[in-house]
Amino acid sequence: MTRVLNAMTIDVEDYFHVSAFDGVVPRSEWPALECRVERNTDRLLSIFETAGIKATFFVLGWVAERYPALVKRIAAAGHELASHGYAHRLVYDLTPAMFRGDVRRSKDLLEEATGAAVQGYRAPSYSITPRSLWALDILIEEGFTYDASIFPIHHDRYGIPVSARHPYRLHRASGELIEVPGSTVQWGPMNMPIAGGGYFRIFPMAWTSWGIRRINREEQRAAIFYLHPWEIDPDQPRLPCGVLTRFRHYRNLHVTEARLRRLLSEFDFGPMQAVLRRTFSGPVSTAQPAPLPYLW
Ligand SMILES: [Zn+2]
């Protein structure tokens, strides 16, 4: 059985950019807050260097604008740069024109920093849902070749539970795009998220290991893992918030770095583009268009 290459992806944003804090910290106050994203991202770069793996960094334009040297360091270390939008606004809260401006600004900033074309996009909080599918056409028109914004689960802020669980080609009026869903395991009629963020940090580590092993061995497919730099920073300033956000954001921050190092020793990881090259041209090719859910 061949070992499967999984995608390691990082959404490069700071602790105060998180959507759950939208009503707590106004955007106008962002510049006044203590920024920790640079040191936390550098720490991730060092963890990946030690483990000998390359990853994809979906960088927020707001961060790229303030830390162009960090963007250059990510690229110089051989990682892939991709876009997380500019201002961390939920896609379904934007007009199409506002969304186009936001993604174009973020793509331009990253491409100016390194000179390399940006191929991938991941929406803040996976906010491409049935209300914002128009965004896919704009991504194609703006030159993106893949999107990683549609999570096939039920969640209060995001998700299209009926959408496909593994990467597939999406055909839209404006062209073609590869969609890369967040990883899940199927449990009866449910898709259970297993590979990243709070699902990695809050649940026991065994949940993620079991899930990735199951996707790799039983389905012979790649898992798409994601994490944020603030998730390995237990000393970040505490922001005032409700009980649910406090649990989701601060739970187990102190164990996440050790878990990540362990995960890197248990599985093979690479950047998104390497995974997609294997998925769409390797022996487990799914080059034929996937059956599209009714929403499309
Ligand atoms: Zn984000």
Side-chain angles (χ1 to χ4, degrees), residues 131-147:
R131 292 156 63 196
S132 48
L133 291 173
W134 46 261
L136 298 166
D137 290 306
I138 292 174
L139 290 174
I140 294 166
E141 288 162 8
E142 293 298 319
F144 291 93
T145 61
Y146 75 86
D147 170 65

mmCIF file with all atom_site columns, all heavy atoms in Angstrom, residues 131-147:
data_model
loop_
_atom_site.group_PDB
_atom_site.id
_atom_site.type_symbol
_atom_site.label_atom_id
_atom_site.label_alt_id
_atom_site.label_comp_id
_atom_site.label_asym_id
_atom_site.label_entity_id
_atom_site.label_seq_id
_atom_site.pdbx_PDB_ins_code
_atom_site.Cartn_x
_atom_site.Cartn_y
_atom_site.Cartn_z
_atom_site.occupancy
_atom_site.B_iso_or_equiv
_atom_site.pdbx_formal_charge
_atom_site.auth_seq_id
_atom_site.auth_comp_id
_atom_site.auth_asym_id
_atom_site.auth_atom_id
_atom_site.pdbx_PDB_model_num
ATOM 1   N N   . ARG A 1 131 ? -24.972 30.493 0.147   1.00 0.00 ? 131 ARG A N   1
ATOM 2   C CA  . ARG A 1 131 ? -25.263 31.925 -0.034  1.00 0.00 ? 131 ARG A CA  1
ATOM 3   C C   . ARG A 1 131 ? -24.181 32.649 -0.819  1.00 0.00 ? 131 ARG A C   1
ATOM 4   O O   . ARG A 1 131 ? -24.384 33.797 -1.222  1.00 0.00 ? 131 ARG A O   1
ATOM 5   C CB  . ARG A 1 131 ? -25.373 32.607 1.331   1.00 0.00 ? 131 ARG A CB  1
ATOM 6   C CG  . ARG A 1 131 ? -26.571 32.176 2.146   1.00 0.00 ? 131 ARG A CG  1
ATOM 7   C CD  . ARG A 1 131 ? -26.318 32.398 3.638   1.00 0.00 ? 131 ARG A CD  1
ATOM 8   N NE  . ARG A 1 131 ? -26.118 33.802 3.978   1.00 0.00 ? 131 ARG A NE  1
ATOM 9   C CZ  . ARG A 1 131 ? -25.586 34.220 5.131   1.00 0.00 ? 131 ARG A CZ  1
ATOM 10  N NH1 . ARG A 1 131 ? -25.211 33.340 6.038   1.00 0.00 ? 131 ARG A NH1 1
ATOM 11  N NH2 . ARG A 1 131 ? -25.442 35.508 5.368   1.00 0.00 ? 131 ARG A NH2 1
ATOM 12  N N   . SER A 1 132 ? -23.028 32.042 -0.995  1.00 0.00 ? 132 SER A N   1
ATOM 13  C CA  . SER A 1 132 ? -21.912 32.791 -1.600  1.00 0.00 ? 132 SER A CA  1
ATOM 14  C C   . SER A 1 132 ? -21.185 32.001 -2.687  1.00 0.00 ? 132 SER A C   1
ATOM 15  O O   . SER A 1 132 ? -19.991 32.194 -2.904  1.00 0.00 ? 132 SER A O   1
ATOM 16  C CB  . SER A 1 132 ? -20.918 33.221 -0.504  1.00 0.00 ? 132 SER A CB  1
ATOM 17  O OG  . SER A 1 132 ? -20.591 32.139 0.346   1.00 0.00 ? 132 SER A OG  1
ATOM 18  N N   . LEU A 1 133 ? -21.913 31.118 -3.385  1.00 0.00 ? 133 LEU A N   1
ATOM 19  C CA  . LEU A 1 133 ? -21.263 30.326 -4.445  1.00 0.00 ? 133 LEU A CA  1
ATOM 20  C C   . LEU A 1 133 ? -20.789 31.206 -5.601  1.00 0.00 ? 133 LEU A C   1
ATOM 21  O O   . LEU A 1 133 ? -19.875 30.820 -6.341  1.00 0.00 ? 133 LEU A O   1
ATOM 22  C CB  . LEU A 1 133 ? -22.232 29.251 -4.958  1.00 0.00 ? 133 LEU A CB  1
ATOM 23  C CG  . LEU A 1 133 ? -22.525 28.133 -3.947  1.00 0.00 ? 133 LEU A CG  1
ATOM 24  C CD1 . LEU A 1 133 ? -23.614 27.216 -4.463  1.00 0.00 ? 133 LEU A CD1 1
ATOM 25  C CD2 . LEU A 1 133 ? -21.265 27.344 -3.622  1.00 0.00 ? 133 LEU A CD2 1
ATOM 26  N N   . TRP A 1 134 ? -21.380 32.390 -5.753  1.00 0.00 ? 134 TRP A N   1
ATOM 27  C CA  . TRP A 1 134 ? -20.928 33.328 -6.783  1.00 0.00 ? 134 TRP A CA  1
ATOM 28  C C   . TRP A 1 134 ? -19.437 33.644 -6.641  1.00 0.00 ? 134 TRP A C   1
ATOM 29  O O   . TRP A 1 134 ? -18.765 34.021 -7.596  1.00 0.00 ? 134 TRP A O   1
ATOM 30  C CB  . TRP A 1 134 ? -21.745 34.627 -6.739  1.00 0.00 ? 134 TRP A CB  1
ATOM 31  C CG  . TRP A 1 134 ? -21.923 35.185 -5.349  1.00 0.00 ? 134 TRP A CG  1
ATOM 32  C CD1 . TRP A 1 134 ? -23.013 35.039 -4.541  1.00 0.00 ? 134 TRP A CD1 1
ATOM 33  C CD2 . TRP A 1 134 ? -20.976 35.955 -4.576  1.00 0.00 ? 134 TRP A CD2 1
ATOM 34  N NE1 . TRP A 1 134 ? -22.811 35.664 -3.326  1.00 0.00 ? 134 TRP A NE1 1
ATOM 35  C CE2 . TRP A 1 134 ? -21.563 36.240 -3.324  1.00 0.00 ? 134 TRP A CE2 1
ATOM 36  C CE3 . TRP A 1 134 ? -19.690 36.423 -4.830  1.00 0.00 ? 134 TRP A CE3 1
ATOM 37  C CZ2 . TRP A 1 134 ? -20.913 36.967 -2.331  1.00 0.00 ? 134 TRP A CZ2 1
ATOM 38  C CZ3 . TRP A 1 134 ? -19.032 37.151 -3.839  1.00 0.00 ? 134 TRP A CZ3 1
ATOM 39  C CH2 . TRP A 1 134 ? -19.644 37.412 -2.604  1.00 0.00 ? 134 TRP A CH2 1
ATOM 40  N N   . ALA A 1 135 ? -18.913 33.488 -5.437  1.00 0.00 ? 135 ALA A N   1
ATOM 41  C CA  . ALA A 1 135 ? -17.501 33.794 -5.197  1.00 0.00 ? 135 ALA A CA  1
ATOM 42  C C   . ALA A 1 135 ? -16.583 32.892 -6.029  1.00 0.00 ? 135 ALA A C   1
ATOM 43  O O   . ALA A 1 135 ? -15.471 33.292 -6.400  1.00 0.00 ? 135 ALA A O   1
ATOM 44  C CB  . ALA A 1 135 ? -17.179 33.643 -3.719  1.00 0.00 ? 135 ALA A CB  1
ATOM 45  N N   . LEU A 1 136 ? -17.039 31.669 -6.322  1.00 0.00 ? 136 LEU A N   1
ATOM 46  C CA  . LEU A 1 136 ? -16.210 30.737 -7.097  1.00 0.00 ? 136 LEU A CA  1
ATOM 47  C C   . LEU A 1 136 ? -15.924 31.303 -8.482  1.00 0.00 ? 136 LEU A C   1
ATOM 48  O O   . LEU A 1 136 ? -14.814 31.172 -9.013  1.00 0.00 ? 136 LEU A O   1
ATOM 49  C CB  . LEU A 1 136 ? -16.904 29.374 -7.194  1.00 0.00 ? 136 LEU A CB  1
ATOM 50  C CG  . LEU A 1 136 ? -17.137 28.678 -5.839  1.00 0.00 ? 136 LEU A CG  1
ATOM 51  C CD1 . LEU A 1 136 ? -18.111 27.514 -5.988  1.00 0.00 ? 136 LEU A CD1 1
ATOM 52  C CD2 . LEU A 1 136 ? -15.805 28.202 -5.253  1.00 0.00 ? 136 LEU A CD2 1
ATOM 53  N N   . ASP A 1 137 ? -16.927 31.930 -9.106  1.00 0.00 ? 137 ASP A N   1
ATOM 54  C CA  . ASP A 1 137 ? -16.713 32.541 -10.431 1.00 0.00 ? 137 ASP A CA  1
ATOM 55  C C   . ASP A 1 137 ? -15.677 33.660 -10.351 1.00 0.00 ? 137 ASP A C   1
ATOM 56  O O   . ASP A 1 137 ? -14.823 33.800 -11.229 1.00 0.00 ? 137 ASP A O   1
ATOM 57  C CB  . ASP A 1 137 ? -18.036 33.094 -10.976 1.00 0.00 ? 137 ASP A CB  1
ATOM 58  C CG  . ASP A 1 137 ? -18.988 31.972 -11.354 1.00 0.00 ? 137 ASP A CG  1
ATOM 59  O OD1 . ASP A 1 137 ? -18.583 31.098 -12.142 1.00 0.00 ? 137 ASP A OD1 1
ATOM 60  O OD2 . ASP A 1 137 ? -20.117 31.953 -10.835 1.00 0.00 ? 137 ASP A OD2 1
ATOM 61  N N   . ILE A 1 138 ? -15.752 34.438 -9.292  1.00 0.00 ? 138 ILE A N   1
ATOM 62  C CA  . ILE A 1 138 ? -14.796 35.552 -9.147  1.00 0.00 ? 138 ILE A CA  1
ATOM 63  C C   . ILE A 1 138 ? -13.381 35.012 -8.943  1.00 0.00 ? 138 ILE A C   1
ATOM 64  O O   . ILE A 1 138 ? -12.419 35.533 -9.506  1.00 0.00 ? 138 ILE A O   1
ATOM 65  C CB  . ILE A 1 138 ? -15.234 36.471 -7.991  1.00 0.00 ? 138 ILE A CB  1
ATOM 66  C CG1 . ILE A 1 138 ? -16.536 37.171 -8.398  1.00 0.00 ? 138 ILE A CG1 1
ATOM 67  C CG2 . ILE A 1 138 ? -14.152 37.484 -7.624  1.00 0.00 ? 138 ILE A CG2 1
ATOM 68  C CD1 . ILE A 1 138 ? -17.181 38.011 -7.320  1.00 0.00 ? 138 ILE A CD1 1
ATOM 69  N N   . LEU A 1 139 ? -13.253 33.933 -8.161  1.00 0.00 ? 139 LEU A N   1
ATOM 70  C CA  . LEU A 1 139 ? -11.923 33.332 -7.964  1.00 0.00 ? 139 LEU A CA  1
ATOM 71  C C   . LEU A 1 139 ? -11.331 32.875 -9.294  1.00 0.00 ? 139 LEU A C   1
ATOM 72  O O   . LEU A 1 139 ? -10.149 33.089 -9.575  1.00 0.00 ? 139 LEU A O   1
ATOM 73  C CB  . LEU A 1 139 ? -12.017 32.153 -6.987  1.00 0.00 ? 139 LEU A CB  1
ATOM 74  C CG  . LEU A 1 139 ? -12.313 32.518 -5.528  1.00 0.00 ? 139 LEU A CG  1
ATOM 75  C CD1 . LEU A 1 139 ? -12.538 31.257 -4.701  1.00 0.00 ? 139 LEU A CD1 1
ATOM 76  C CD2 . LEU A 1 139 ? -11.185 33.370 -4.929  1.00 0.00 ? 139 LEU A CD2 1
ATOM 77  N N   . ILE A 1 140 ? -12.154 32.246 -10.136 1.00 0.00 ? 140 ILE A N   1
ATOM 78  C CA  . ILE A 1 140 ? -11.675 31.794 -11.452 1.00 0.00 ? 140 ILE A CA  1
ATOM 79  C C   . ILE A 1 140 ? -11.250 33.009 -12.286 1.00 0.00 ? 140 ILE A C   1
ATOM 80  O O   . ILE A 1 140 ? -10.162 33.024 -12.869 1.00 0.00 ? 140 ILE A O   1
ATOM 81  C CB  . ILE A 1 140 ? -12.775 30.988 -12.176 1.00 0.00 ? 140 ILE A CB  1
ATOM 82  C CG1 . ILE A 1 140 ? -13.064 29.691 -11.417 1.00 0.00 ? 140 ILE A CG1 1
ATOM 83  C CG2 . ILE A 1 140 ? -12.362 30.691 -13.626 1.00 0.00 ? 140 ILE A CG2 1
ATOM 84  C CD1 . ILE A 1 140 ? -14.344 28.978 -11.841 1.00 0.00 ? 140 ILE A CD1 1
ATOM 85  N N   . GLU A 1 141 ? -12.087 34.032 -12.292 1.00 0.00 ? 141 GLU A N   1
ATOM 86  C CA  . GLU A 1 141 ? -11.766 35.237 -13.084 1.00 0.00 ? 141 GLU A CA  1
ATOM 87  C C   . GLU A 1 141 ? -10.510 35.937 -12.584 1.00 0.00 ? 141 GLU A C   1
ATOM 88  O O   . GLU A 1 141 ? -9.783  36.560 -13.354 1.00 0.00 ? 141 GLU A O   1
ATOM 89  C CB  . GLU A 1 141 ? -12.957 36.213 -13.027 1.00 0.00 ? 141 GLU A CB  1
ATOM 90  C CG  . GLU A 1 141 ? -14.153 35.739 -13.842 1.00 0.00 ? 141 GLU A CG  1
ATOM 91  C CD  . GLU A 1 141 ? -15.453 36.441 -13.462 1.00 0.00 ? 141 GLU A CD  1
ATOM 92  O OE1 . GLU A 1 141 ? -15.419 37.408 -12.670 1.00 0.00 ? 141 GLU A OE1 1
ATOM 93  O OE2 . GLU A 1 141 ? -16.516 36.002 -13.952 1.00 0.00 ? 141 GLU A OE2 1
ATOM 94  N N   . GLU A 1 142 ? -10.233 35.826 -11.291 1.00 0.00 ? 142 GLU A N   1
ATOM 95  C CA  . GLU A 1 142 ? -9.049  36.487 -10.721 1.00 0.00 ? 142 GLU A CA  1
ATOM 96  C C   . GLU A 1 142 ? -7.793  35.619 -10.824 1.00 0.00 ? 142 GLU A C   1
ATOM 97  O O   . GLU A 1 142 ? -6.740  35.979 -10.303 1.00 0.00 ? 142 GLU A O   1
ATOM 98  C CB  . GLU A 1 142 ? -9.310  36.872 -9.259  1.00 0.00 ? 142 GLU A CB  1
ATOM 99  C CG  . GLU A 1 142 ? -10.376 37.957 -9.092  1.00 0.00 ? 142 GLU A CG  1
ATOM 100 C CD  . GLU A 1 142 ? -9.978  39.275 -9.762  1.00 0.00 ? 142 GLU A CD  1
ATOM 101 O OE1 . GLU A 1 142 ? -8.807  39.671 -9.662  1.00 0.00 ? 142 GLU A OE1 1
ATOM 102 O OE2 . GLU A 1 142 ? -10.854 39.895 -10.409 1.00 0.00 ? 142 GLU A OE2 1
ATOM 103 N N   . GLY A 1 143 ? -7.916  34.447 -11.456 1.00 0.00 ? 143 GLY A N   1
ATOM 104 C CA  . GLY A 1 143 ? -6.730  33.647 -11.751 1.00 0.00 ? 143 GLY A CA  1
ATOM 105 C C   . GLY A 1 143 ? -6.392  32.561 -10.753 1.00 0.00 ? 143 GLY A C   1
ATOM 106 O O   . GLY A 1 143 ? -5.307  31.967 -10.818 1.00 0.00 ? 143 GLY A O   1
ATOM 107 N N   . PHE A 1 144 ? -7.281  32.279 -9.820  1.00 0.00 ? 144 PHE A N   1
ATOM 108 C CA  . PHE A 1 144 ? -7.024  31.166 -8.887  1.00 0.00 ? 144 PHE A CA  1
ATOM 109 C C   . PHE A 1 144 ? -7.339  29.840 -9.589  1.00 0.00 ? 144 PHE A C   1
ATOM 110 O O   . PHE A 1 144 ? -8.267  29.760 -10.396 1.00 0.00 ? 144 PHE A O   1
ATOM 111 C CB  . PHE A 1 144 ? -7.898  31.298 -7.640  1.00 0.00 ? 144 PHE A CB  1
ATOM 112 C CG  . PHE A 1 144 ? -7.525  32.465 -6.765  1.00 0.00 ? 144 PHE A CG  1
ATOM 113 C CD1 . PHE A 1 144 ? -8.142  33.700 -6.920  1.00 0.00 ? 144 PHE A CD1 1
ATOM 114 C CD2 . PHE A 1 144 ? -6.537  32.329 -5.793  1.00 0.00 ? 144 PHE A CD2 1
ATOM 115 C CE1 . PHE A 1 144 ? -7.795  34.788 -6.117  1.00 0.00 ? 144 PHE A CE1 1
ATOM 116 C CE2 . PHE A 1 144 ? -6.176  33.406 -4.982  1.00 0.00 ? 144 PHE A CE2 1
ATOM 117 C CZ  . PHE A 1 144 ? -6.811  34.640 -5.146  1.00 0.00 ? 144 PHE A CZ  1
ATOM 118 N N   . THR A 1 145 ? -6.571  28.799 -9.274  1.00 0.00 ? 145 THR A N   1
ATOM 119 C CA  . THR A 1 145 ? -6.828  27.485 -9.878  1.00 0.00 ? 145 THR A CA  1
ATOM 120 C C   . THR A 1 145 ? -7.433  26.502 -8.873  1.00 0.00 ? 145 THR A C   1
ATOM 121 O O   . THR A 1 145 ? -7.944  25.471 -9.259  1.00 0.00 ? 145 THR A O   1
ATOM 122 C CB  . THR A 1 145 ? -5.547  26.868 -10.467 1.00 0.00 ? 145 THR A CB  1
ATOM 123 O OG1 . THR A 1 145 ? -4.595  26.697 -9.415  1.00 0.00 ? 145 THR A OG1 1
ATOM 124 C CG2 . THR A 1 145 ? -4.956  27.751 -11.558 1.00 0.00 ? 145 THR A CG2 1
ATOM 125 N N   . TYR A 1 146 ? -7.294  26.813 -7.573  1.00 0.00 ? 146 TYR A N   1
ATOM 126 C CA  . TYR A 1 146 ? -7.997  25.966 -6.600  1.00 0.00 ? 146 TYR A CA  1
ATOM 127 C C   . TYR A 1 146 ? -8.532  26.794 -5.436  1.00 0.00 ? 146 TYR A C   1
ATOM 128 O O   . TYR A 1 146 ? -8.032  27.878 -5.142  1.00 0.00 ? 146 TYR A O   1
ATOM 129 C CB  . TYR A 1 146 ? -7.117  24.810 -6.103  1.00 0.00 ? 146 TYR A CB  1
ATOM 130 C CG  . TYR A 1 146 ? -6.025  25.155 -5.122  1.00 0.00 ? 146 TYR A CG  1
ATOM 131 C CD1 . TYR A 1 146 ? -6.269  25.209 -3.754  1.00 0.00 ? 146 TYR A CD1 1
ATOM 132 C CD2 . TYR A 1 146 ? -4.720  25.413 -5.564  1.00 0.00 ? 146 TYR A CD2 1
ATOM 133 C CE1 . TYR A 1 146 ? -5.258  25.505 -2.856  1.00 0.00 ? 146 TYR A CE1 1
ATOM 134 C CE2 . TYR A 1 146 ? -3.704  25.724 -4.665  1.00 0.00 ? 146 TYR A CE2 1
ATOM 135 C CZ  . TYR A 1 146 ? -3.978  25.767 -3.312  1.00 0.00 ? 146 TYR A CZ  1
ATOM 136 O OH  . TYR A 1 146 ? -2.991  26.067 -2.422  1.00 0.00 ? 146 TYR A OH  1
ATOM 137 N N   . ASP A 1 147 ? -9.580  26.242 -4.828  1.00 0.00 ? 147 ASP A N   1
ATOM 138 C CA  . ASP A 1 147 ? -10.215 26.883 -3.681  1.00 0.00 ? 147 ASP A CA  1
ATOM 139 C C   . ASP A 1 147 ? -10.368 25.840 -2.578  1.00 0.00 ? 147 ASP A C   1
ATOM 140 O O   . ASP A 1 147 ? -10.643 24.680 -2.857  1.00 0.00 ? 147 ASP A O   1
ATOM 141 C CB  . ASP A 1 147 ? -11.602 27.416 -4.074  1.00 0.00 ? 147 ASP A CB  1
ATOM 142 C CG  . ASP A 1 147 ? -12.383 27.864 -2.852  1.00 0.00 ? 147 ASP A CG  1
ATOM 143 O OD1 . ASP A 1 147 ? -11.936 28.828 -2.203  1.00 0.00 ? 147 ASP A OD1 1
ATOM 144 O OD2 . ASP A 1 147 ? -13.416 27.244 -2.519  1.00 0.00 ? 147 ASP A OD2 1
#
